[in-house]
Amino acid sequence: MTQSAAERYLRLGLQLGRHVEGIVDAYYGPPELAAAVDAAPPVDPPALVSAAEALLNELEDGWLRDQVVGVRTYAGVLAGESGSYADEVEGCYGVRPTYTDEAVFRAAHERLEELLPGDGSLAERYERWRNSILVPTEQVERTVAVVIEEARAWTRGLVELPAGEGVVLEIVRDEPWLAFNYYLGDLRSRIAVNVDLPTSALELLRLTIHETYPGHHAERSSKEHLLVRGRGLLEETLVLVPTPQSLVSEGIAERAPNVLLEGDGGAALAAVMHDAGFELDLTHALAVERALEPCTWADVNAALMLHDAGASEAEAQAYLERWGLMTPKLAAHLIRFFTQPTSRTYVMNYSAGRELCRSYVAGAPERFRRLLTEQVRVRDLLEARDAGALVDFER
């Protein structure tokens, strides 16, 4: 029986996953297809390159073709093709990383100086402020569970969540990430929160919303319900790390906390934290976060230093500590993330995804709803950004 383009894509993605654990972020498609891939010997990367190119030649421009470009790029990396780190990022995600001028970080630091007055260096004052609103490790699980329920209730006013969706929560240690959504299919997710590092009340709100509602879980369950079950789009049953799908998904999850906390959901979640025993001045905390946000591009600079410029891990860590105002422990944690096979290029998705989804939504709830429920392409986000820039220029 001839396989459809979607089935060939699923097979290619699953075959790619045989080479690097974690490249397949989630799969809930036909079990017989996954079983056949698992039962066969791994396919050599050059053969995956050829298969991806053959599929690309048959596909029209669209979401699925974008995904296959990412597969072809990553298969080429596994096959030993030469190319820069920036080439790899662009091939996988559709956006090319470039260095951010450190003047951007200096300006952000100046704004933070005003928000965090007092004695000591800016890094010391920022860390003192964070420490004043830390959530004790033993309270993380209970607090996250309450935030999930409040965020779910708010999200129901934004998008119709499918009946039967839900999440289970677990606390973990010794992982290269701070939190993770394992989408299980059948409208369910397992949310893992890593308690290796101290987490502030604002950071706990952000990572919970990012992973659940209206972030990753809301997106995945909505798309399973509407696109897979509703429209039969089989390609949506595979969530593949080195593809444009990841940039859009991280952009959604990065914007989700702002959509909720800066809107009418902020007061309710501030009350949740108050009831949990944390006196969080949400208005001030969000102002600090907004001022620091440009410094998240220091992550991309550090990754480029590591992978394109030949910097040492110690140099990249020092860079993150200086410009990202990170503690040595947090910066070292990020360096670990930057050097994992599944995440060495992934860092681009957070800053670029956030900025592109922000310009795409532009304050319109229906645009954020579209991100959660439709196959929005990276090209769509870039076009929205460029159109917005043109409007600003014409003004």
Side-chain angles (χ1 to χ4, degrees):
M1 182 183 296
T2 303
Q3 287 191 320
S4 68
E7 289 171 321
R8 289 166 64 190
Y9 161 67
L10 296 183
R11 183 178 293 275
L12 264 173
L14 293 172
Q15 289 170 333
L16 198 66
R18 292 290 304 276
H19 292 274
V20 181
E21 184 178 357
I23 284 297
V24 175
D25 189 70
Y27 178 72
Y28 54 96
E32 63 275 11
L33 199 158
V37 170
D38 289 340
V43 178
D44 289 339
L48 293 178
V49 170
S50 297
E53 289 178 345
L55 183 52
L56 284 171
N57 289 336
E58 299 173 27
L59 288 171
E60 296 181 355
D61 183 49
W63 186 91
L64 181 56
R65 195 177 196 284
D66 294 346
Q67 291 295 107
V68 179
V69 170
V71 171
R72 191 267 174 255
T73 299
Y74 197 78
V77 172
L78 295 182
E81 293 180 355
S82 61
S84 70
Y85 174 79
D87 290 338
E88 181 183 344
V89 173
E90 185 175 25
C92 288
Y93 307 115
V95 175
R96 190 171 187 83
T98 58
Y99 278 97
T100 297
D101 194 305
E102 287 160 6
V104 171
F105 309 147
R106 290 191 188 92
H109 287 190
E110 289 174 5
R111 289 191 290 274
L112 281 165
E113 292 276 2
E114 299 172 3
L115 290 165
L116 299 170
D119 298 327
S121 68
L122 177 60
E124 291 169 339
R125 279 177 278 146
Y126 176 69
E127 191 58 22
R128 207 158 49 231
W129 172 75
R130 277 191 73 250
N131 288 340
S132 72
I133 52 173
L134 288 183
V135 178
T137 300
E138 64 274 13
Q139 292 183 239
V140 167
E141 184 171 11
R142 182 176 71 247
T143 305
V144 168
V146 176
V147 171
I148 286 173
E149 290 309 310
E150 189 64 43
R152 175 192 278 128
W154 183 90
T155 301
R156 288 196 185 105
L158 174 70
V159 65
E160 185 178 351
L161 294 171
E165 63 78 25
V167 303
V168 294
L169 174 64
E170 68 174 349
I171 301 300
V172 300
R173 292 183 180 273
D174 193 27
E175 296 287 357
W177 33 257
L178 301 179
F180 205 96
N181 176 301
Y182 293 95
Y183 191 68
L184 307 174
D186 199 26
L187 310 177
R188 310 291 294 181
S189 291
R190 175 165 58 92
I191 309 301
V193 177
N194 184 2
V195 293
D196 282 345
L197 298 175
T199 305
S200 74
L202 180 64
E203 290 161 348
L204 198 64
L205 282 175
R206 170 169 279 282
L207 73 83
T208 303
I209 296 166
H210 178 114
E211 303 296 345
T212 61
Y213 306 93
H216 286 318
H217 173 72
E219 181 203 2
R220 292 265 59 88
S221 59
S222 295
K223 286 178 177 174
E224 180 179 358
H225 176 64
L226 295 170
L227 302 183
V228 179
R229 298 181 179 185
R231 295 175 52 192
L233 297 181
L234 201 61
E235 59 268 32
E236 281 284 348
T237 62
L238 175 67
V239 182
L240 201 57
V241 169
T243 64
Q245 178 185 35
S246 293
L247 185 140
V248 176
S249 186
E250 291 301 344
I252 292 168
E254 283 290 288
R255 284 299 300 153
N258 300 84
V259 170
L260 199 165
L261 294 172
E262 294 175 2
D264 54 5
L269 282 170
V272 165
M273 301 309 287
H274 174 80
D275 293 343
F278 308 108
E279 294 302 323
L280 176 65
D281 182 342
L282 186 60
T283 300
H284 179 258
L286 289 174
V288 171
E289 184 182 65
R290 281 192 295 271
L292 186 62
E293 189 176 278
C295 296
T296 61
W297 287 98
D299 297 3
V300 178
N301 281 12
L304 285 165
M305 289 167 59
L306 272 174
H307 299 301
D308 256 359
S312 68
E313 291 187 8
E315 289 170 324
Q317 179 174 330
Y319 191 90
L320 291 171
E321 291 174 27
R322 178 183 181 185
W323 295 114
L325 300 181
M326 296 180 191
T327 64
K329 191 172 182 180
L330 177 57
H333 197 86
L334 277 182
I335 294 299
R336 180 184 174 192
F337 183 78
F338 294 169
T339 53
Q340 297 290 307
T342 54
S343 53
R344 63 187 296 276
T345 60
Y346 202 84
V347 61
M348 182 70 179
N349 293 331
Y350 298 103
S351 296
R354 180 185 62 245
E355 295 301 323
L356 289 173
C357 283
R358 174 190 283 133
S359 60
Y360 180 82
V361 172
E366 65 274 11
R367 301 276 280 186
F368 192 79
R369 189 179 305 115
R370 184 180 297 173
L371 287 171
L372 290 172
T373 59
E374 299 179 16
Q375 286 183 323
V376 177
R377 301 169 64 189
V378 170
R379 179 182 300 181
D380 299 328
L381 303 182
L382 291 169
E383 289 175 352
R385 180 200 63 185
D386 294 343
L390 180 62
V391 169
D392 289 341
F393 175 78
E394 290 175 344
R395 286 174 182 163

